[in-house]
Amino acid sequence: MVIPIYVGMLAARTAAAAVLGGMFMTGSLGLPALAGLFALEYFFIGVSRVAESALPAAVFGNDLGALNRFGSWQLRVLSTIGILGPIAVTGMITGLGFGPTLLAFSAILAAGAVLAFLLVRAPDQKSDFSMARLGRAISVLRGSPILRRAAWG
């Protein structure tokens, strides 16, 4: 269940980034559209980050060595991207402009979604999600004023 959610959110982020780049390049990107696209993007990021945090356990199970190796490689890749990414993006914006760079971002997201869909496989797992548990969680949330205030402000 984790992988389809993750890939779906990557695909949704790809679509939002493509719309953002297209609207910017055509000059039709106003403040309400920008705010709406950013709100959607951050919703998609939030859901995909939750799925992303559950992905290693879904793929590697309880093998602590494999999870540690995965975490080590993930840290290396993210650190490298965190250092070299802004330099590369600055060069792209300088050379191509902001609109084409936004479209390149959506192309990179699309490539990531396709690779995740094709390459990441998890063992068959039965989800422990049930509507009854969700209903119980919502009723507990509604019943407690402190939790209700924390969840909905």
Side-chain angles (χ1 to χ4, degrees):
M1 186 68 179
V2 171
I3 294 172
I5 292 172
Y6 181 68
V7 172
M9 288 299 108
L10 273 179
R13 288 184 65 200
T14 300
V19 168
L20 179 67
M23 289 179 77
F24 178 81
M25 290 181 68
T26 60
S28 60
L29 183 64
L31 185 59
L34 181 65
L37 284 170
F38 271 107
L40 278 175
E41 169 73 6
Y42 281 100
F43 170 74
F44 299 147
I45 285 174
V47 174
S48 68
R49 294 269 164 88
V50 170
E52 184 179 309
S53 68
L55 198 59
V59 173
F60 298 112
N62 292 329
D63 183 3
L64 191 57
L67 287 170
N68 285 337
R69 283 189 300 278
F70 174 81
S72 174
W73 275 103
Q74 182 183 31
L75 182 63
R76 286 181 198 155
V77 169
L78 292 178
S79 297
T80 303
I81 291 171
I83 293 168
L84 299 178
I87 297 167
V89 169
T90 301
M92 285 181 67
I93 291 173
T94 303
L96 301 174
F98 192 66
T101 303
L102 279 175
L103 293 177
F105 173 65
S106 64
I108 290 168
L109 281 177
V114 168
L115 287 174
F117 178 74
L118 294 176
L119 300 178
V120 179
R121 295 284 177 246
D124 291 331
Q125 296 181 17
K126 183 172 169 59
S127 174
D128 61 350
F129 174 79
S130 71
M131 291 305 287
R133 290 180 76 187
L134 180 62
R136 172 79 177 120
I138 290 172
S139 67
V140 167
L141 192 62
R142 283 186 185 161
S144 169
I146 294 172
L147 291 177
R148 185 174 55 240
R149 175 85 175 158
W152 287 300

